[in-house]
Amino acid sequence: MKSFLVLLAAAATASAHYTFPALVAGGTTTGQWQYVRKTTNYQSNGPVTDVTSTQIRCYELAPGTGAQTYEVAAGSTIGFTAQSSVSHPGTLQFYLAKVPSGKTAADWDGSGQVWFKIFEQGPNIAASGLTWPSQGLSKVTVPLPKSLPSGEYLFRVEHIALHSAGSAGGAQFYISCAQIKVTGGGNGSPGPLVSFPGAYSANDPGIKLNIYYPVPTSYTPPGPKVWSG
């Protein structure tokens, strides 16, 4: 049984990787890399595996990739397309970081203790194994909190593929950051705030684990608690 599960994990490793190239907002899918910063894996589709690298932040190909900033209302639903779909089992998370005074979403690098989580989705757990709601999706979305203060933000999607995460460095991070301007916001106080890199360790239990054998009986996504507004 164990050898079969090892083969299953190897087969999963060989399947296609993916990117998150386009913003979805107001029922509209924008052009690829129009409002999303072009990522280092835009051609290879390969993942980030080093959680201490600055690539864990937005996986940017290079600063100033020419992305535009999309205006969206607080409380509305936004997200990303997945190219060619989320093919690996794993955890889906969304983060925001408010652009500081004197900067714009187009020229800010997202450094510092500025990121807060607005969504996390782990597995459904059963005795027969784990199922992952995000696996197979071609689009992933989340509602923005209604109390989110108005202003410009970096909007970050993160899918942590766990098919080969039995050892440190085995988890695969698929990441993109879009540039948005939130209007009609509230007076919420988002938090807790974390930095990228800094929010994760390679040995965090939500990052380093064997999802096939023995079958986990619980799972906690890595990072801070979700801020829901």
Side-chain angles (χ1 to χ4, degrees):
M1 179 65 176
K2 185 175 181 179
S3 61
F4 169 76
L5 292 169
V6 170
L7 289 173
L8 183 64
T13 302
S15 62
H17 300 317
Y18 37 100
T19 61
F20 295 102
L23 184 69
V24 177
T28 299
T29 299
T30 65
Q32 292 192 3
W33 313 117
Q34 183 179 4
Y35 299 97
V36 178
R37 296 180 172 186
K38 185 173 284 187
T39 53
T40 302
N41 68 339
Y42 82 102
Q43 291 179 313
S44 70
N45 292 357
V48 180
T49 56
D50 181 1
V51 298
T52 67
S53 166
T54 56
Q55 292 276 270
I56 201 70
R57 187 182 301 150
C58 285
Y59 206 3
E60 285 185 77
L61 177 65
T65 52
Q68 301 171 47
T69 300
Y70 193 96
E71 189 170 303
V72 60
S76 60
T77 295
I78 63 172
F80 295 80
T81 60
Q83 183 73 30
S84 298
S85 73
V86 177
S87 60
H88 293 313
T91 300
L92 175 66
Q93 306 201 114
F94 288 101
Y95 286 83
L96 288 167
K98 196 172 192 300
V99 177
S101 177
K103 296 283 188 178
T104 68
D107 64 23
W108 184 49
D109 65 359
S111 60
Q113 196 167 330
V114 292
W115 295 91
F116 56 98
K117 188 191 295 186
I118 61 169
F119 179 86
E120 63 183 19
Q121 184 185 64
N124 297 319
I125 299 175
S128 57
L130 308 181
T131 57
W132 302 87
S134 57
Q135 189 173 13
L137 297 180
S138 58
K139 179 173 65 176
V140 292
T141 61
V142 63
L144 293 175
K146 292 182 179 180
S147 63
L148 184 68
S150 297
E152 295 195 359
Y153 289 82
L154 295 183
F155 171 49
R156 178 179 179 273
V157 62
E158 169 188 87
H159 191 261
I160 310 172
L162 297 171
H163 56 286
S164 57
S167 59
Q172 299 179 357
F173 293 78
Y174 296 90
I175 298 163
S176 278
C177 287
Q179 298 170 187
I180 62 171
K181 180 179 180 179
V182 175
T183 61
N187 58 358
S189 299
L193 301 176
V194 297
S195 60
F196 287 108
Y200 301 154
S201 163
N203 291 303
D204 285 347
I207 293 174
K208 179 187 173 184
L209 77 162
N210 188 325
I211 63 172
Y212 298 106
Y213 186 87
V215 177
T217 56
S218 64
Y219 179 81
T220 301
K225 293 181 179 180
V226 170
W227 180 74
S228 59

